[in-house]
Amino acid sequence: MKKVAIALCAASLLFGASKYDYELTPLIGYGTPHKQGIKDEGFFGARIARNLDLPWLSQIELGAEFAPSVKYKDNGYDFGKKDKTNIFRGYLDLVKIWQINDTFGIYGLVGAGYQHFSHKSNDKVEKGGFAQAGLGLRFNLTERVALKLEARELIGFRHGKGKELYTLGLGFGLGERYEALPAPAAVIGDEDGDGVLDNVDRCPGTPKGHVVDEWGCEKVIRLDLGVLFAFDSTEITTAYAEKIKEVSDLLIANPDYTVILEGHTDSVGSDKYNQGLSERRAAAVAKVLMKNGVAANRISTVGYGKTQPIADNATKEGRAKNRRVDARFRK
């Protein structure tokens, strides 16, 4: 398998090019309830967030808000002196930040929590659990301070009654500062060590030492000496000795190369006999190479019998082409 090692850093930047372990956000806000029998509320609160390095999640945060003396609407109930209530909310949010540049970013959140009314006037008051979702803008004032503007929708679990909440906060970076690492460039390897990078290599897994072309495929020079071998013969005619001489010259000019001579036969005869015949044909070519000045320790031979035909053994011409020796070079 091709080994292409690609290292990616997929983190959302929270404070320009730097990050901190935590973010503390004191805030003030304004709420507009829907069908809850109470008037608009002003509130204050705080959040503490843990910064994360996940591609889909930037922060997980805990928040608490308090709205003092929120008035009930005049809806026919006799409240007496208790026409106001305090509201407390606590919640947990998941936050994803998309940093546009070093100064400006946007974020989204989803979460759930619980709100409590100190005085309940009627069934329209939705205390208990709620879900919420919102969007916000971030402006990084310094490396450790970000101005945050946010709008979110709160929906109660019991009756589905909700409210719109708008907040203004200052986020302060707390804890250790560390730099967000840029994504390094992709590193493309050469798994089979043939000198051709894996993204170009069309023949992965080439054994080490084999000579390859620009596509990483092993170079094979076939002497194609089938016509030189008569039936059941290992004799090499002088007419084709020049081809063997070309291989000799190549080996002498490239002393770091070695050669494997691969002998083949046609399909006539038994497997055992043809195996021996193919080995003798490879040895015959090796003998000529040595006569031409190639050292014996740079030559090896192997026979494949009739197992690797390159032409149709059903014809005379095809059988002649299969009686051959191929040369495979190694570096």
Side-chain angles (χ1 to χ4, degrees), residues 3-281:
K3 186 184 297 179
V4 180
I6 301 177
L8 298 176
C9 179
S12 301
L13 302 180
L14 302 180
F15 301 98
S18 301
K19 279 194 166 186
Y20 301 86
D21 292 330
Y22 298 93
E23 183 181 45
L24 176 64
T25 305
L27 57 88
I28 58 174
Y30 187 82
T32 303
H34 299 302
K35 300 179 181 180
Q36 289 193 358
I38 57 176
K39 295 184 177 181
D40 294 353
E41 64 181 73
F43 60 90
F44 59 90
R47 300 174 184 172
I48 182 70
R50 179 69 167 93
N51 292 327
L52 304 172
D53 264 345
L54 301 176
W56 54 274
L57 184 62
S58 304
Q59 294 178 330
I60 182 168
E61 67 177 9
L62 286 171
E65 296 169 352
F66 180 71
S69 301
V70 180
K71 291 185 178 181
Y72 287 103
K73 293 181 179 180
D74 183 5
N75 52 12
Y77 286 85
D78 181 12
F79 301 128
K81 294 183 179 180
K82 296 183 178 180
D83 61 346
K84 298 179 181 179
T85 183
N86 299 327
I87 303 175
F88 171 80
R89 283 186 295 272
Y91 50 85
L92 175 70
D93 288 334
L94 302 179
V95 183
K96 172 60 181 175
I97 302 172
W98 295 271
Q99 196 71 31
I100 307 303
N101 52 44
D102 287 347
T103 302
F104 175 69
I106 61 177
Y107 65 92
L109 64 87
V110 293
Y114 183 88
Q115 68 176 353
H116 174 74
F117 288 73
S118 61
H119 172 62
K120 179 180 178 181
S121 67
N122 54 61
D123 290 337
K124 291 184 178 181
V125 174
E126 182 86 7
K127 76 172 183 178
F130 64 85
Q132 64 180 359
L135 292 173
L137 303 177
R138 295 177 59 95
F139 299 90
N140 296 323
L141 304 179
T142 71
E143 287 187 343
R144 284 189 175 268
V145 181
L147 179 67
K148 301 164 70 173
L149 302 174
E150 179 183 301
R152 71 185 195 270
E153 182 76 15
L154 183 151
I155 301 295
F157 289 149
R158 292 175 58 196
H159 304 300
K161 297 173 183 177
K163 62 181 68 178
E164 295 172 358
L165 301 174
Y166 306 94
T167 61
L168 172 66
L170 283 177
F172 296 92
L174 303 176
E176 182 179 358
R177 173 185 172 184
Y178 58 97
E179 298 297 321
L181 298 177
V187 178
I188 302 175
D190 177 16
E191 184 177 3
D192 55 13
D194 60 3
V196 179
L197 295 180
D198 290 336
N199 64 325
V200 179
D201 199 335
R202 295 179 181 177
C203 300
T206 304
K208 290 185 178 180
H210 286 206
V211 181
V212 298
D213 58 19
E214 66 272 21
W215 303 111
C217 296
E218 186 177 3
K219 286 184 177 179
V220 177
I221 300 177
R222 287 189 172 88
L223 300 181
D224 199 10
L225 301 177
V227 295
L228 297 182
F229 293 103
F231 177 71
D232 196 21
S233 173
T234 62
E235 182 181 355
I236 300 174
T237 64
T238 56
Y240 289 89
E242 185 60 30
K243 287 191 174 182
I244 302 177
K245 181 65 165 57
E246 292 176 3
V247 177
S248 302
D249 293 342
L250 176 63
L251 289 168
I252 292 171
N254 297 274
D256 53 344
Y257 283 12
T258 61
V259 65
I260 299 176
L261 300 173
E262 301 174 341
H264 304 272
T265 71
D266 59 27
S267 61
V268 179
S270 68
D271 293 347
K272 181 178 180 180
Y273 183 83
N274 278 305
Q275 177 63 36
L277 180 59
S278 66
E279 294 171 0
R280 293 193 297 275
R281 284 174 175 167

